[in-house]
Structures are given as structure tokens and as C-alpha cells.
Amino acid sequence: GDLCLKSIYQSSELAIIHCEEEGYVTTLETSTRTKNYFRELFVLLKTEDKWLIYKYMFSKNNNQIDM
């Protein structure tokens, strides 16, 4: 699926990025492929001249799948 940026907040030393994406998960044992909906939240901190991932959160909500 295509990654969709839902919101971005940025200050001089902190950035918060919320994105969502529809995708597929394949169960290796059965080769079953199912549609899923993923949500991600990144918290970045700027140290010197680089942005580094400080916190990351991932969740799956199949109620949001566009059928």
C-alpha cells in the first residue's frame, strides 16, 4: 500500500510524525495473505545536526480497512 502521512509536527528539536498504510500480511505457515491496516507514530529528536528516532509506536486496526 501507499504510506499516508496524517500529521507532522516539528519544532527546533522535536518532530512527531503520524502515518497510516493499508498492506498485506502473509502467514508463512499457511501462505495465507490477509489485508491489514497499520498505524505508526514516530517521535524524533534532533541531536547536533541529525534527526534520530526517540520513540516509535506501531498498531494494527483492521476496522479501518477500505474494502
Side-chain angles (χ1 to χ4, degrees), residues 5-17:
L5 292 175
K6 293 294 194 175
S7 65
I8 298 174
Y9 167 81
Q10 183 179 342
S11 68
S12 60
E13 297 178 354
L14 176 76
I16 301 170
I17 301 156

Side-chain angles (χ1 to χ4, degrees), residues 9 13 16 24 26 43 54 58-59 61-62:
Y9 167 81
E13 297 178 354
I16 301 170
Y24 291 90
T26 301
V43 177
Y54 175 68
F58 167 85
S59 69
N61 183 356
N62 290 344

